[in-house]
C-alpha cells in the first residue's frame, strides 16, 4: 500500500503548487479599469453558463444514480443485497463531483490569468508567457492531483473492480456533456463573431463593437478550459480504472500507483522549471517543458521499479506509451504548427478561394491521422508482446501500462493546453481594452503557440484515449470472464460484425449532432448580430453600445439544449446493441467505435488547428495580410475548423470512453437479457 499512500501525498504536493501559482498570477497587476470591466463581463458569463450547465448535469446524474442503484452490478431484487449498489452510487457521485470541480477550478484561474497575461505583455513576452502558462499550470496540477487522489481513495475504500468502474463512469459521463456543451457554446460565438465581424464588416477579430465578442471570449473558458479539464480528468481516471481492473487479479496495482504518482511528481518539476528565454520561442518553451517532464518521469520510474522490485517489462510498456504520446504530439505539431509546411501550403491555397482552403486543410487532416494511428497501434502491439512472457493476463496489463505511461505526464499536458485559451483570451481583452499594437503582436505570437500546443495536446489525449479504450476492452473481457463466461471476438461471427458496424457509425452520428448544434446556434447568433447593427444607433461607428448579454444568452441556451441528445444517443446505442447481440456484439461494437472514433477525432482536431493557424499565418502579413481575399477565405476555413477542433474532435475520445465503461458496467445484464 506504500504507493497508494504516496499517491495521496504527491497529490497534496500538487495542490500546494497549484495554490502557489494561483496566488502568483492573482497578484500580478491589471492594466486599467477598462480591462477589469471587460474581464468582469467574461468571468460573469463563464460562471453563469457553468452554473446552468451543472444544474442540467446534476439532474442527469441523479437519474443515473437511481439507475445504478436499481440495476448495477445486479438488480436490487436479485437478492444479493443493496450494499454494493450503494457503494457504486457513491463512487459514481465522487467521479461526477470531482470532474465538475476540474472545470470550476479551470474557469476560476483562466478568467484571472487572461487579464494578467494581457497586462504583462506591455512589459515583455516572457512575463506574458509566464502569466499564461502558470495560469494553465494551476489547472494541470489541480486536475491531476484530484484524479489521482480520488482513484487512490476509491481503491482504499473498495478494492472492487465494479466500484472503480462506477467512479470512472461518473467522471466520463459528466466530462462527455461538459466538453460537448462547452464546445457548442464557444464555437457558436466564435463562428458568428468571425463571419459577421471579419468577413462581412471587415472589423478586427475582437473589436468591442461586435456584439458576439464577449460571448466568444467566454467560450474560450467554458469550452477550451472547463470542458477540456473535465475531459482530461476523465481520460486519466479511465486509464487508471482499466488498469486497476486488470491488475487486481495479478497483484500489480502498486505498480500503477507508482507510475501515476511519479508522473505527477515529474509534471510538478516540469511546470516549476518552465521558462521562456529572452529571445525564446513560446512553442519551443512549451515543448521543452514536456520533454523535460518525460525525462524526469523515465528516470524516476526506472529507479522506483528497481527499488520496489517491479517487473521491468511493465516499466518498458509504460515507456512505450510515453514515447508514442511524444511521437503523436510531434506529428500534430508538424501538421498544425504555424512555422511548418502544411500551414503555409493551406495559407497559399487560400489565395484561390475558400473551396481550396477547405480541400487542402481537409486533405492534410486525413494525412495526419495515419502516423498517429500507427503510433497507437504499435504502442499497443509492442507493450502487448513485451509483457506477454510474464504470464496470462499480463499482455492486456501491458497495454494498460502503455496508456498509463502516455498519460503519466498529463499534468504538464493540461498546463500547456490550458495556456492556449488563456493567451487567446488575453489577445481578445487586450484589443477590447486598447492596450496597443505592440501588446497585440505579443499576444498573437503567444496565441499561435497556444493553437499548436492545443493541437499537440489534443493529439496526445486522443492517443491516450485510444490506448485506454483498448485497455477498457480488456477490462470488459475481464468482467465477463469473472461472471464465468469465456469470450473471444471472432470477426466472422455475425454478432461481432453487426456490433462493429454499428460501433463504427456512432462517432460519426455523435459528431454530426454536435456540429449541427453549433450550426443552428451560430445562425441564430448571426441574425442577432445583424439585428443589433441594424437597430442600435451608432453601433458600427462605435458610439452605440452592443447588447453582449443577449449573445451570451443565445450561446448558453443553445449549448444546454444541444449537449444532452448527442451523449444520450451514444449511451442508448450501446445498451441497444448489448441487449440485442449480447457481449459478443458489444465486443465488435467497441472495436468499431474505437477505430472510427480515433480516425475522426484525429482528422478533425488536426484539420481544425491547421485552418486556424493558416488564418493567423496570413494575418501576420503573408499572401495579402488582413482584409485580403486570401484572409477572408482563411476565415471561412477557420469557421469550418472551429467545431472540428473544439467541439466534435475532442469530444469523441470521451464518447469512446463512456461507451466502453457502460459496456463493462452492464456486461452481466447483457449476458442475462440479450435477445441473441
Amino acid at each position: 500500500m506504500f504507493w497508494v499512500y504516496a499517491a495521496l501525498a504527491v497529490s497534496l504536493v500538487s495542490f500546494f503548487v497549484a495554490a502557489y501559482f494561483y496566488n502568483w498570477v492573482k497578484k500580478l497587476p491589471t492594466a486599467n479599469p477598462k480591462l477589469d470591466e471587460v474581464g468582469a463581463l467574461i468571468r460573469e458569463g463563464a460562471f453563469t453558463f457553468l452554473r446552468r450547465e451543472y444544474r442540467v448535469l446534476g439532474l442527469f446524474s441523479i437519474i443515473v444514480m437511481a439507475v445504478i442503484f436499481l440495476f448495477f452490478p445486479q438488480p436490487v431484487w436479485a437478492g444479493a443485497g443493496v450494499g454494493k449498489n450503494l457503494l457504486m452510487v457513491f463512487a459514481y457521485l465522487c467521479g461526477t463531483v470531482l470532474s465538475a470541480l476540474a472545470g470550476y477550478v479551470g474557469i476560476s484561474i483562466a478568467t484571472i490569468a487572461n487579464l494578467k497575461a494581457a497586462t504583462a505583455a506591455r512589459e515583455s513576452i516572457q512575463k506574458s508567457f509566464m502569466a499564461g502558462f502558470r495560469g494553465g499550470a494551476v489547472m494541470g496540477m489541480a486536475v491531476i492531483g484530484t484524479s489521482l487522489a480520488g482513484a487512490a481513495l476509491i481503491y482504499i475504500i473498495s478494492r472492487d473492480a465494479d466500484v472503480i468502474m462506477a467512479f470512472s463512469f461518473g467522471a466520463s459521463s459528466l466530462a462527455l456533456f461538459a466538453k460537448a456543451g462547452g464546445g457548442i457554446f464557444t464555437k457558436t460565438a466564435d463562428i458568428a463573431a468571425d463571419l459577421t465581424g471579419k468577413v462581412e464588416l471587415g472589423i478586427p477579430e475582437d473589436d468591442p463593437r461586435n456584439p458576439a465578442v464577449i460571448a466568444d471570449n467566454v467560450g474560450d473558458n467554458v469550452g477550451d478550459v472547463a470542458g477540456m479539464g473535465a475531459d482530461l480528468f476523465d481520460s486519466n481516471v479511465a486509464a487508471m480504472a482499466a488498469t486497476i481492473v486488470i491488475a487486481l487479479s495479478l497483484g500489480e496495482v502498486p505498480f500503477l500507483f507508482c507510475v501515476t504518482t511519479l508522473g505527477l511528481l515529474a509534471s510538478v518539476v516540469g511546470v516549476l522549471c518552465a521558462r521562456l528565454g529572452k529571445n525564446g520561442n513560446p512553442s519551443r518553451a512549451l515543448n521543452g517543458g514536456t520533454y523535460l517532464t518525460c525525462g524526469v518521469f523515465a528516470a524516476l520510474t526506472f529507479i522506483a521499479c528497481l527499488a520496489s522490485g517491479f517487473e521491468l517489462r511493465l516499466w518498458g510498456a509504460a515507456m512505450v506509451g510515453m514515447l508514442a504520446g511524444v511521437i503523436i504530439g510531434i506529428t500534430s505539431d508538424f501538421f498544425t504548427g504555424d512555422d511548418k509546411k502544411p500551414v503555409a501550403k493551406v495559407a497559399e491555397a487560400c489565395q484561390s478561394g475558400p473551396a481550396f482552403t477547405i480541400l487542402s486543410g481537409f486533405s492534410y487532416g486525413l494525412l495526419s491521422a495515419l502516423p498517429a494511428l500507427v503510433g497507437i497501434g504499435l504502442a499497443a502491439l509492442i507493450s502487448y508482446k513485451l509483457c506477454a512472457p510474464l504470464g496470462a493476463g499480463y499482455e492486456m496489463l501491458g497495454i494498460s501500462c502503455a496508456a498509463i505511461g502516455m498519460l503519466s505526464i498529463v499534468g504538464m499536458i493540461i498546463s500547456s493546453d490550458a495556456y492556449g485559451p488563456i493567451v487567446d483570451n488575453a489577445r481578445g481583452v487586450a484589443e477590447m481594452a486598447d492596450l496597443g499594437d505592440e501588446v497585440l503582436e505579443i499576444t498573437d505570437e503567444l496565441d499561435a503557440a497556444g493553437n499548436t500546443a492545443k493541437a499537440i495536446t489534443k493529439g496526445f489525449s486522443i492517443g491516450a484515449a485510444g490506448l485506454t479504450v483498448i485497455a477498457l476492452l480488456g477490462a470488459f473481457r475481464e468482467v465477463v470472464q469473472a461472471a464465468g463466461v469465456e469470450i473471444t471476438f471472432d470477426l466472422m461471427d455475425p454478432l461481432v460484425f453487426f456490433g462493429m458496424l454499428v460501433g463504427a457509425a456512432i462517432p460519426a452520428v455523435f459528431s454530426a449532432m454536435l456540429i449541427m448544434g453549433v450550426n443552428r446556434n451560430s445562425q441564430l447568433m448571426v441574425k442577432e448580430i445583424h439585428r443589433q447593427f441594424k437597430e442600435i444607433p451608432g453601433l458600427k461607428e462605435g458610439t452605440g453600445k452592443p447588447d453582449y448579454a443577449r449573445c451570451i444568452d443565445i450561446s448558453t441556451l443553445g449549448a444546454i439544449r444541444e449537449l444532452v441528445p448527442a451523449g444520450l444517443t451514444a449511451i442508448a446505442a450501446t445498451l441497444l446493441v448489448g441487449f440485442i447481440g449480447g457481449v459478443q456484439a458489444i465486443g465488435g461494437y467497441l472495436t468499431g467505435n474505437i477505430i472510427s472514433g480515433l480516425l475522426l477525432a484525429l482528422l478533425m482536431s488536426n484539420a481544425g488547428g491547421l485552418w486556424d493557424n493558416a488564418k493567423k499565418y496570413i494575418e501576420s502579413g503573408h499572401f495579402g495580410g488582413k482584409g485580403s481575399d486570401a484572409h477572408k477565405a482563411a476565415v471561412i476555413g477557420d469557421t469550418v475548423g472551429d467545431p472540428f477542433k473544439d467541439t466534435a474532435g475532442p469530444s469523441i475520445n470521451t464518447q469512446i470512453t463512456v461507451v466502453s465503461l457502460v459496456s463493462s458496467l452492464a456486461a452481466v445484464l447483457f449476458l442475462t437479457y440479450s435477445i441473441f
Side-chain angles (χ1 to χ4, degrees):
M1 293 291 286
F2 168 78
W3 284 108
V4 182
Y5 292 116
L8 295 174
V10 173
S11 297
L12 198 59
V13 171
S14 74
F15 297 148
F16 281 122
V17 173
Y20 166 69
F21 282 161
Y22 187 95
N23 288 322
W24 185 90
V25 171
K26 196 173 182 179
K27 287 177 182 176
L28 294 174
T30 48
N32 55 43
K34 190 173 182 180
L35 189 64
D36 279 327
E37 182 186 342
V38 171
L41 287 170
I42 294 170
R43 189 176 178 85
E44 182 185 348
F47 276 107
T48 298
F49 171 77
L50 205 63
R51 282 192 297 270
R52 293 171 78 168
E53 181 184 52
Y54 282 179
R55 272 202 300 270
V56 172
L57 295 182
L59 291 172
F60 169 80
S61 298
I62 290 170
I63 294 168
V64 174
M65 283 190 288
V67 172
I68 290 173
F69 173 72
L70 290 172
F71 296 103
F72 299 102
Q74 292 184 42
V76 290
W77 56 84
V82 299
K84 189 170 177 180
N85 292 51
L86 283 172
L87 193 56
M88 288 183 69
V89 169
F90 170 74
Y92 173 84
L93 179 62
C94 289
T96 58
V97 169
L98 292 177
S99 188
L101 187 63
Y104 184 86
V105 168
I107 283 189
S108 296
I109 184 59
T111 50
I112 296 172
N114 57 357
L115 308 182
K116 308 300 184 179
T119 303
R122 298 190 305 174
E123 296 184 48
S124 68
I125 190 172
Q126 288 82 12
K127 288 188 177 180
S128 186
F129 172 86
M130 288 302 291
F133 180 78
R134 287 195 162 180
V138 172
M139 188 170 181
M141 295 296 96
V143 167
I144 302 310
T146 304
S147 65
L148 182 56
L153 286 171
I154 293 294
Y155 175 74
I156 290 169
I157 291 168
S158 72
R159 303 198 190 186
D160 185 281
D162 291 328
V163 176
I164 291 162
M165 282 290 190
F167 174 67
S168 183
F169 180 55
S172 297
S173 59
L174 189 127
L176 177 67
F177 295 115
K179 186 61 194 167
I184 291 168
F185 183 108
T186 183
K187 293 306 113 179
T188 292
D190 197 356
I191 289 173
D194 276 0
L195 289 179
T196 54
K198 288 183 179 180
V199 176
E200 291 182 16
L201 300 173
I203 60 177
E205 180 170 357
D206 293 293
D207 195 301
R209 292 173 289 176
N210 193 327
V213 73
I214 294 291
D216 185 10
N217 284 289
V218 169
D220 289 336
N221 293 289
V222 300
D224 293 343
V225 177
M228 179 273 300
D231 177 16
L232 284 170
F233 177 90
D234 147 58
S235 295
N236 202 42
V237 169
M240 286 191 284
T243 308
I244 289 172
V245 170
I246 296 170
L248 269 171
S249 61
L250 301 172
E252 297 288 357
V253 173
F255 177 78
L256 155 73
F257 283 105
C258 169
V259 171
T260 50
T261 300
L262 295 179
L264 179 54
L265 190 60
S267 294
V268 169
V269 173
V271 297
L272 287 171
C273 293
R275 294 287 187 279
L276 181 65
K278 199 167 185 180
N279 300 310
N281 180 301
S283 294
R284 200 169 296 128
L286 292 171
N287 292 341
T290 302
Y291 298 144
L292 171 65
T293 304
C294 288
V296 172
F297 169 69
L300 288 177
T301 49
F302 183 72
I303 294 168
C305 282
L306 291 178
S308 300
F310 295 130
E311 285 285 351
L312 283 179
R313 286 178 180 270
L314 296 177
W315 175 82
M319 292 304 103
V320 166
M322 184 191 72
L323 288 173
V326 171
I327 291 167
I328 291 169
I330 291 170
T331 300
S332 296
D333 182 35
F334 173 76
F335 282 100
T336 61
D338 58 340
D339 58 342
K340 301 296 191 298
K341 191 174 180 180
V343 165
K345 286 289 186 184
V346 172
E348 184 180 356
C350 292
Q351 296 176 103
S352 302
F356 297 99
T357 307
I358 303 301
L359 288 170
S360 57
F362 193 81
S363 299
Y364 277 120
L366 287 169
L367 284 173
S368 73
L370 176 62
L373 287 174
V374 169
I376 295 167
L378 281 175
L381 177 61
I382 293 169
S383 56
Y384 184 99
K385 293 291 187 182
L386 186 63
C387 295
L390 296 175
Y394 275 91
E395 57 281 313
M396 287 307 299
L397 182 61
I399 295 176
S400 299
C401 289
I404 290 293
M406 192 179 283
L407 281 163
S408 57
I409 59 163
V410 75
M412 185 68 188
I413 295 299
I414 292 178
S415 302
S416 298
D417 201 355
Y419 156 90
I422 287 172
V423 294
D424 188 4
N425 243 204
R427 194 252 178 246
V429 298
E431 185 166 319
M432 295 185 75
D434 299 320
L435 296 188
D437 290 341
E438 190 175 335
V439 168
L440 291 180
E441 285 176 16
I442 287 174
T443 50
D444 272 337
E445 185 177 347
L446 294 173
D447 186 24
N451 276 330
T452 304
K454 283 196 293 183
I456 292 171
T457 52
K458 282 187 179 101
F460 194 96
S461 62
I462 291 165
L467 285 174
T468 298
V469 293
I470 295 171
L472 283 169
L473 186 58
F476 169 72
R477 190 180 68 177
E478 196 83 15
V479 171
V480 172
Q481 289 177 341
V485 177
E486 281 297 322
I487 183 170
T488 56
F489 304 123
D490 182 359
L491 293 183
M492 298 307 293
D493 183 335
L495 283 176
V496 175
F497 195 66
F498 158 73
M500 188 179 292
L501 290 177
V502 178
I506 293 301
V509 173
F510 177 77
S511 301
M513 292 177 75
L514 294 181
I515 293 172
M516 284 192 289
V518 172
N519 183 36
R520 281 190 291 267
N521 293 327
S522 295
Q523 289 184 51
L524 288 174
M525 192 173 289
V526 166
K527 289 178 183 176
E528 172 61 20
I529 295 168
H530 288 161
R531 182 196 68 78
Q532 291 196 31
F533 273 108
K534 185 178 179 181
E535 296 179 8
I536 298 176
L539 181 55
K540 190 171 182 180
E541 293 74 25
T543 56
K545 188 174 181 180
D547 183 357
Y548 297 129
R550 178 64 191 135
C551 287
I552 292 173
D553 203 43
I554 288 172
S555 272
T556 300
L557 292 174
I560 298 295
R561 184 176 59 247
E562 301 284 356
L563 68 87
V564 174
L568 286 183
T569 298
I571 293 171
T574 308
L575 294 173
L576 198 61
V577 168
F579 287 127
I580 291 173
V583 292
Q584 297 289 350
I586 284 292
Y589 176 87
L590 293 179
T591 304
N593 198 271
I594 291 167
I595 295 169
S596 166
L598 291 177
L599 174 63
L600 286 172
L602 287 163
L603 157 67
M604 289 194 281
S605 291
N606 289 337
L610 192 154
W611 278 316
D612 196 346
N613 271 349
K615 176 195 71 176
K616 286 183 168 56
Y617 186 82
I618 292 171
E619 287 175 345
S620 66
H622 299 90
F623 306 119
K626 292 182 180 180
S628 64
D629 287 341
H631 183 229
K632 290 178 180 177
V635 170
I636 291 171
D638 183 35
T639 59
V640 174
D642 276 338
F644 271 37
K645 68 180 172 64
D646 291 325
T647 307
S651 296
I652 289 175
N653 57 317
T654 312
Q655 175 266 315
I656 299 171
T657 305
V658 166
V659 301
S660 300
L661 289 165
V662 169
S663 299
S664 293
L665 288 169
V668 176
L669 293 177
F670 297 152
L671 281 168
T672 310
Y673 298 109
S674 62
I675 294 172
F676 294 101

